[in-house]
Amino acid sequence: MIAACAVLLAAAVACNKEKTGASGIEASLAGVWENEDIDSDIMKLKLNADGTGEILYRGFEMLRQDCSMRWRTADGRISMEILGFSDSIMEEMAYSLDGNGNLHLTFEENGLNIDYTFSKADGKWEYGVTNILAGDWETDDSYDKFYLEVEEIEYMGYSVTSKSVYVDPDGTQHCCKFGQDYEAKPIYNLYEMTTTESFHISLSNPVWEGNRLKVTFEDSESKTATLRTLKPMDRWPYKTYDELFDVQEKSKRVNYIQHTTR
């Protein structure tokens, strides 16, 4: 995925903010566009009429990453600000529509023009923004209270798994792994693998409502699904993943020594 995405990202051109801000939106570009070239790193684009959108990258094997973005057009060029990382990434390239209704995106690299060709898709978008749940959260609804800390998934990494801390309704803190479905579906998995009492919770279809997220929670044991509301926490008062992991590893070593010296 690094090699695939680096081609696009290495061609990033810093956009003039005044020019980008003054540019408009070409209505004919709004919609979902699909690239069927198996060698291309960009699989799909979702260009909303309000200037927001998403971009789906192809990675290793089944690995996909979907990123949110903002886009504008001016003078035959499209600028895209790829969001969701520590620093946003600016892309600018030429665009055109051919007689068959295909969208062509062209940028220059080392004096060569590289062309992406997209066809209009059916409008469905079944993917999930990779880092939408990164951050510190607490529930804000009538159900039992819990807290969740999720580290940002590293862009262009070999995995879609992140570290997280889950504080259950009883106040127990768990160091967990947090990952997204490999096809970048809007399904995120929270699971603990460091204790014998392992658990798995899936969080699906997160949707923004202001600064809150509506998320469906499903417990793998009870098989019950509930719609929950998450709100950002101002300060994380619990232990970090590394602190919890160290405590559990020390406990394992003590138990092992006690068992072997009996």
Side-chain angles (χ1 to χ4, degrees):
M1 187 176 185
I2 294 177
C5 292
V7 174
L8 175 67
L9 301 184
V13 178
C15 299
N16 182 288
K17 292 184 179 180
E18 295 182 358
K19 176 182 177 182
T20 303
S23 62
I25 298 296
E26 183 170 328
S28 60
L29 298 188
V32 175
W33 298 89
E34 185 172 15
N35 188 341
E36 297 182 356
D37 182 357
I38 61 174
D39 294 325
S40 174
D41 50 353
I42 302 178
M43 298 176 63
K44 283 189 177 183
L45 293 170
K46 181 169 71 170
L47 304 178
N48 300 322
D50 63 357
T52 62
E54 295 180 43
I55 180 169
L56 182 68
Y57 288 106
R58 182 189 310 276
F60 295 111
E61 298 180 352
M62 302 297 289
L63 182 61
R64 307 286 185 267
Q65 284 189 297
D66 176 35
C67 307
S68 59
M69 68 174 178
R70 291 191 289 261
W71 66 284
R72 292 289 186 271
T73 55
D75 303 324
R77 300 187 68 81
I78 182 171
S79 61
M80 295 184 291
E81 181 184 10
I82 316 300
L83 308 171
F85 317 120
S86 56
D87 295 311
S88 62
I89 299 171
M90 297 298 299
E91 304 287 354
E92 184 178 316
M93 59 191 76
Y95 76 90
S96 63
L97 293 169
D98 63 25
N100 296 320
N102 295 321
L103 171 64
H104 296 269
L105 299 180
T106 306
F107 64 90
E108 293 184 4
E109 182 183 18
N110 298 325
L112 299 176
N113 288 332
I114 300 177
D115 182 75
Y116 290 108
T117 301
F118 296 82
S119 59
K120 205 68 172 286
D122 57 12
K124 294 181 180 179
W125 191 268
E126 301 177 347
Y127 307 96
V129 176
T130 301
N131 280 313
I132 191 171
L133 283 161
D136 300 339
W137 304 95
E138 60 180 304
T139 48
D140 185 29
D141 50 36
S142 59
Y143 298 105
D144 49 338
K145 192 79 172 180
F146 76 88
Y147 307 89
L148 181 65
E149 177 193 50
V150 180
E151 291 188 8
E152 190 166 288
I153 297 171
E154 184 179 358
Y155 178 59
M156 294 193 300
Y158 288 88
S159 170
V160 288
T161 301
S162 172
K163 297 177 181 178
S164 66
V165 173
Y166 168 64
V167 184
D168 64 27
D170 295 329
T172 304
Q173 302 173 50
H174 308 268
C175 57
C176 303
K177 293 295 184 181
F178 187 89
Q180 185 182 16
D181 183 273
Y182 279 93
E183 286 284 0
K185 300 294 185 183
I187 302 172
Y188 301 80
N189 299 290
L190 176 72
Y191 52 95
E192 183 181 35
M193 300 179 63
T194 55
T195 67
T196 55
E197 298 179 359
S198 60
F199 63 88
H200 173 210
I201 299 175
S202 67
L203 298 80
S204 59
N205 301 312
V207 178
W208 286 107
E209 286 191 358
N211 68 335
R212 287 167 165 75
L213 282 173
K214 291 285 188 180
V215 185
T216 299
F217 281 72
E218 181 175 350
D219 191 308
S220 61
E221 292 186 3
S222 65
K223 302 298 183 183
T224 57
T226 55
L227 182 64
R228 309 295 298 263
T229 301
L230 299 178
K231 67 178 181 179
M233 291 184 66
D234 292 332
R235 183 183 64 85
W236 182 256
Y238 303 101
K239 288 183 171 64
T240 65
Y241 174 94
D242 292 334
E243 289 174 325
L244 288 169
F245 186 82
D246 287 342
V247 169
Q248 293 185 1
E249 287 300 297
K250 289 177 181 177
S251 177
K252 283 183 181 180
R253 289 194 291 270
V254 170
N255 291 335
Y256 175 77
I257 293 173
Q258 291 176 344
H259 176 75
T260 56
T261 55
R262 286 177 182 174

